[in-house]
Amino acid sequence: EKLESVAILKEAELNNWSRDLQADLAMVLSGNDALGYARQLLSPDSDITINRIAYEQLHTLFSQVVNRKDHFDELFLMDLKRQIVISSDQSKMGQRGSLESNVYFPEALRGDYLLPPSYTMSVGAIATIVARPVKDETGRSLGILVGRAGPSELNKIMLERTGLGNTGETYLI
């Protein structure tokens, strides 16, 4: 019974963490014209001068969110060709989506999506990917917003020892 209650507690913590990731990603483009800037960068017929302003504004926003260290280690926008049009990691600019994007990209075009923690080749570490569509005013998907979360919060949840005694361990499968 004790182990069952530990499992229920861990499951609830993991569910809360995943909901928090998705809610935080939804908030990224919620204010200060951020959604408009994202639409501008993802629009196939955008103006280069306006793009520069949109890029600077979103890069600042993405960097601020990542630097807060709340959840995300990286934020980026991908267009419909799976090209990264802006990222908090400037070395990723212009790159095509990684192999993992084959899984989350089509799902995220349809709605919010969470790729469970797994080894991510693009960063060489365990990561959780959260993604959601960026749509135009008519509801047509222009691309996706992606957040990559490292394993630190997941590790905190899994390493919590309450109810396990001195030798108990938990595993996420």
Side-chain angles (χ1 to χ4, degrees), residues 35 38-46 78-81 105 108-111 132-145:
L35 180 58
R39 288 174 173 164
Q40 181 64 37
L41 290 177
L42 293 169
S43 176
D45 58 339
S46 61
M78 293 176 79
D79 66 14
L80 293 175
K81 297 175 188 170
F105 187 83
L109 283 174
R110 290 191 284 277
R132 65 187 334 248
V134 176
K135 298 182 177 187
D136 66 12
E137 295 82 5
T138 66
R140 184 178 55 102
S141 290
L142 298 171
I144 64 171
L145 173 64

Side-chain angles (χ1 to χ4, degrees), residues 48-128:
I48 190 102
T49 307
I50 297 172
N51 271 359
R52 198 169 304 129
I53 294 167
Y55 175 85
E56 289 170 7
Q57 293 294 319
L58 281 182
H59 188 266
T60 299
L61 174 65
F62 285 9
S63 296
Q64 288 171 344
V65 171
V66 168
N67 289 335
R68 278 196 318 247
K69 300 284 186 206
D70 290 338
H71 288 292
F72 298 113
D73 293 338
E74 181 183 9
L75 289 169
F76 56 94
L77 279 176
M78 293 176 79
D79 66 14
L80 293 175
K81 297 175 188 170
R82 289 188 26 231
Q83 186 95 16
I84 296 174
V85 297
I86 186 167
S87 173
S88 57
D89 178 355
Q90 289 198 334
S91 70
K92 304 259 178 89
M93 285 290 304
Q95 292 182 4
R96 254 184 78 66
S98 63
L99 288 177
E100 297 89 32
S101 70
N102 290 336
V103 175
Y104 64 79
F105 187 83
E107 296 294 329
L109 283 174
R110 290 191 284 277
D112 291 0
Y113 184 75
L114 183 136
L115 181 66
S118 56
Y119 182 80
T120 305
M121 291 178 24
S122 60
V123 292
I126 299 291
T128 302

